[in-house]
């Protein structure tokens, strides 16, 4: 999905499964904490007025709405965390597993500091130079 879209423009859009069946409408959009990129959408399924979280990354936005590449049954069986609250890392992990999506790669860490840069730190108490 394009990453430069305003998440607010997704609210209220119809959502369709991989077969073109309407699932519901987007209720809320959740952004990645680190990048601010839209990552998940909560879709009001109409079934018991429940929200199902769907991943935005493999989905496609078209004029008629959001097309999610999953079966309706899988979407409706997604974990329900309620809306209006921050998704915890554990909840996101559950969603990744539910949809069979590989976890995003963590940002590459910078190289570990060399021993030379470490020399001036951590002097023990009571030792004189």
């Amino acid at each position: 999905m394009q990453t430069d879209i305003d998440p607010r423009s997704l609210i209220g859009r119809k959502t369709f499964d991989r077969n073109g069946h309407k699932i519901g409408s987007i209720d809320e959009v959740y952004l990645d904490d680190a990048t601010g990129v839209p990552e998940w959408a909560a879709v009001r399924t109409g079934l018991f007025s429940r929200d199902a979280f769907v991943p935005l990354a493999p989905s496609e936005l078209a004029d008629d709405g959001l097309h999610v590449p999953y079966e309706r049954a899988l979407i409706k069986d997604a974990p329900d965390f309620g809306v209006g609250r921050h998704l915890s890392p554990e909840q996101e992990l559950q969603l990744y597993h539910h949809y069979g999506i590989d976890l995003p790669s963590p940002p590459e860490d910078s190289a570990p500091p060399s021993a030379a840069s470490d020399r001036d730190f951590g002097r023990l108490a009571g030792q004189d130079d």
Side-chain angles (χ1 to χ4, degrees):
M1 189 176 131
Q2 49 184 113
T3 57
D4 61 344
I5 192 160
D6 180 356
R8 293 171 294 197
S9 70
L10 294 172
I11 305 298
R13 286 233 165 150
K14 293 178 184 173
T15 306
F16 303 91
D17 75 356
R18 71 180 321 152
N19 299 315
H21 298 116
K22 184 180 175 196
I23 303 163
S25 298
I26 297 175
D27 208 13
E28 295 206 15
V29 176
Y30 292 78
L31 309 179
D32 180 273
D33 287 341
T35 65
V37 172
E39 188 172 22
W40 299 97
V43 176
R44 176 72 48 156
T45 63
L47 182 66
F48 307 114
S49 295
R50 175 186 184 278
D51 281 282
F53 285 84
V54 297
L56 291 173
S59 303
E60 293 182 17
L61 186 60
D63 290 338
D64 62 342
L66 184 71
H67 292 264
V68 182
Y70 300 101
E71 298 282 339
R72 182 190 317 203
L74 181 66
I75 295 166
K76 289 190 176 188
D77 285 342
D80 183 6
F81 304 119
V83 293
R85 288 178 265 157
H86 183 267
L87 285 176
S88 72
E90 293 80 18
Q91 290 170 327
E92 278 194 273
L93 186 62
Q94 287 179 39
L95 289 169
Y96 280 113
H97 286 304
H98 177 77
Y99 286 105
I101 300 173
D102 291 331
L103 296 174
S105 302
E108 290 185 26
D109 293 330
S110 57
S114 68
S117 66
D118 228 12
R119 251 182 253 154
D120 294 332
F121 300 101
R123 211 171 87 211
L124 295 174
Q127 285 187 337
D128 294 346
D129 287 343

